[in-house]
Amino acid sequence: MNPLSVFCFLTLLSIGLNKIPQVYGDLISDTCGKALYKDVCEKTLRADPNSRGAKVDGLAKIALKAASSSAKTTQGQITSLLKTAKDKAVIAALKDCNENYDGANSQLNDSLKAMVNKRYADVNIWVTAAMTDGDSCEDGFKKGTSPLTQANTNFGQLCSNVLAITNQIK
């Protein structure tokens, strides 16, 4: 093969390969650009290796799995707090939170099944219900005393991002 031909081929190949990550990166940026919590959305999607090459429905599934993981982590945090809590009002609120997150985990599992079957309206219903459970947990504490504020906020933002993404593929 002619050296000039090899050079041209390699140059075009490298240009083409450099464009591939930008296409995926742009899809994540475009998708998250419609979310209320853009930074959380981008950070979540970019952290998952499955986002490379994913279409919007794949990104929605990744976002949903992140919300589900957050719910499970928060419920683990609630279990730990229940072991050490002394205040009766805090114990009662934590028990309510545990029930709320039981519901949220169940609803997010239903959402994953609905997503697999491309029933995005159902996904939105279940994710909205799960998000409400997280809000209810936070509301169970006296103002400013919740040990779960950060976890509940993170969970709510992840759920909001799921809704923003699934609304793009309906």
Side-chain angles (χ1 to χ4, degrees):
M1 202 178 225
N2 176 335
L4 182 60
S5 298
V6 171
F7 173 76
C8 290
F9 174 75
L10 291 175
T11 302
L12 290 173
L13 181 63
S14 68
I15 290 171
L17 290 175
N18 285 336
K19 295 293 180 189
I20 291 173
Q22 292 174 346
V23 170
Y24 297 139
D26 287 342
L27 180 60
I28 290 173
S29 295
D30 290 347
T31 301
C32 291
K34 296 171 179 77
L36 289 175
Y37 306 101
K38 295 168 183 53
D39 292 342
V40 173
C41 180
E42 284 202 36
K43 183 179 176 185
T44 301
L45 296 180
R46 291 189 195 289
D48 191 308
N50 293 319
S51 66
R52 288 199 84 147
K55 295 180 181 172
V56 177
D57 60 336
L59 296 178
K61 190 173 183 181
I62 292 166
L64 182 54
K65 286 182 178 182
S68 181
S69 177
S70 175
K72 290 174 182 140
T73 299
T74 302
Q75 195 162 27
Q77 188 178 353
I78 293 165
T79 300
S80 294
L81 288 167
L82 276 168
K83 291 176 183 174
T84 60
K86 305 274 189 256
D87 183 275
K88 288 181 183 181
V90 170
I91 292 170
L94 287 169
K95 286 181 178 179
D96 287 344
C97 284
N98 199 39
E99 288 180 28
N100 287 327
Y101 275 94
D102 269 343
N105 281 311
S106 177
Q107 291 151 347
L108 293 174
N109 285 335
D110 290 340
S111 295
L112 280 169
K113 292 174 193 168
M115 185 161 300
V116 168
N117 293 310
K118 300 184 185 302
R119 294 186 344 254
Y120 301 113
D122 291 346
V123 171
N124 285 350
I125 290 167
W126 291 117
V127 171
T128 300
M131 198 160 106
T132 301
D133 286 333
D135 290 342
S136 295
C137 170
E138 188 66 25
D139 292 343
F141 292 93
K142 291 181 185 172
K143 206 116 177 119
T145 63
S146 171
L148 298 168
T149 299
Q150 185 175 352
N152 288 328
T153 299
N154 184 55
F155 176 67
Q157 290 175 351
L158 291 169
C159 287
S160 175
N161 288 340
V162 172
L163 296 172
I165 296 170
T166 56
N167 281 331
Q168 295 176 52
I169 53 177
K170 286 197 318 186

